[in-house]
Amino acid sequence: MKNVFIISMLISANLGYAQVWSTLNDLTLSNHHVNRLQVINDTLFAAGYFQDVNELPSAGIFKWDSSQVTLVSGIQEIGINDFIIDDNEVFVVGVFNQIEDIPGTAGIASFSNGVWQSVGGGGGSIVDTPESCIKWNNKTYVGYGFNEIGDISVPYGFASWDGNSWFAEESVFGFGEGPSNMVIYNGEIVGGGDFNQTTTGELAHKVARFD
């Protein structure tokens, strides 16, 4: 009994945390799940599955400059898994069939100068919902959750966009096909996911390099 009392006292003492969580100036999201955070030029960008930011309609992505929230786009019904911001263009991948009735925007689209656009035709169907994207060597790479993009077949969920055309890339697979998250490390793409080998037959356990 004495030991239980001592343990309880230690736990209680540890509740006086040195650091604590707080909100972003009372930010509120509806139907929310944040999938991706990025900091670009001292501005925080957040994307995910939400329809309203501080009661304003939002297309699953907004930015915060430490004092106020600004919407990137005001349309709804978009679930964003990942995004790239390059100059004034926002490239997004996620769960959406069509943006603003624009053909070729299933799962993949770009937003620039207030206008949403197709990226080479986007996903081939509503089940093409990529989970990761990254810019590397002047190309955009997209991974996981799709089998068709533009007018090409991508059986292992990894493709690149050079600004004009899509290309299926050598990939990784296992329980999942393609990398579900990616970073640039030592000049290479490092991808993580639920895979155990490459499409050329090499072993690759959950994390692998692409160069």
Side-chain angles (χ1 to χ4, degrees):
M1 187 68 181
K2 182 178 179 181
N3 289 338
V4 172
F5 176 76
I6 292 173
I7 292 172
S8 297
M9 291 296 291
L10 289 173
I11 292 173
S12 297
N14 286 332
L15 292 179
Y17 299 113
Q19 291 82 33
V20 297
W21 289 92
S22 59
T23 63
L24 305 185
N25 293 9
D26 297 322
L27 170 70
T28 61
L29 307 177
S30 68
N31 299 329
H32 54 281
H33 184 277
V34 174
N35 292 330
R36 188 78 162 91
L37 297 170
Q38 288 190 55
V39 176
I40 301 171
N41 295 329
D42 296 323
T43 299
L44 173 68
F45 288 80
Y49 302 160
F50 42 84
Q51 296 180 332
D52 294 276
V53 177
N54 290 352
E55 300 183 352
L56 297 174
S58 169
I61 185 168
F62 66 88
K63 57 185 178 180
W64 187 64
D65 64 1
S66 296
S67 62
Q68 64 180 356
V69 168
T70 303
L71 303 182
V72 174
S73 173
I75 67 170
Q76 294 178 293
E77 307 302 331
I78 294 180
I80 296 176
N81 289 328
D82 202 356
F83 65 96
I84 301 167
I85 296 180
D86 187 17
D87 294 328
N88 293 318
E89 182 178 34
V90 181
F91 180 95
V92 301
V93 297
V95 182
F96 45 90
N97 184 26
Q98 198 171 74
I99 298 179
E100 292 190 331
D101 299 322
I102 301 170
T105 53
I108 304 161
S110 68
F111 182 74
S112 179
N113 297 319
V115 178
W116 285 99
Q117 303 176 61
S118 171
V119 180
S125 70
I126 60 174
V127 298
D128 291 317
T129 56
E131 290 195 7
S132 63
C133 58
I134 201 164
K135 192 73 175 287
W136 181 65
N137 285 354
N138 298 316
K139 297 174 73 175
T140 298
Y141 290 80
V142 175
Y144 197 82
F146 64 99
N147 297 109
E148 185 179 346
I149 191 167
D151 59 354
I152 67 170
S153 173
V154 187
Y156 292 99
F158 189 49
S160 65
W161 168 253
D162 69 357
N164 296 297
S165 302
W166 284 103
F167 302 90
E169 299 283 353
E170 198 265 333
S171 189
V172 286
F173 73 100
F175 288 104
E177 298 171 347
S180 57
N181 57 83
M182 296 182 284
V183 297
I184 304 299
Y185 182 67
N186 287 339
E188 302 172 316
I189 292 177
V190 176
D194 198 359
F195 54 81
N196 53 33
Q197 62 182 303
T198 73
T199 50
T200 54
E202 301 294 326
L203 294 178
H205 296 287
K206 312 303 181 184
V207 180
R209 301 180 300 166
F210 178 79
D211 188 5

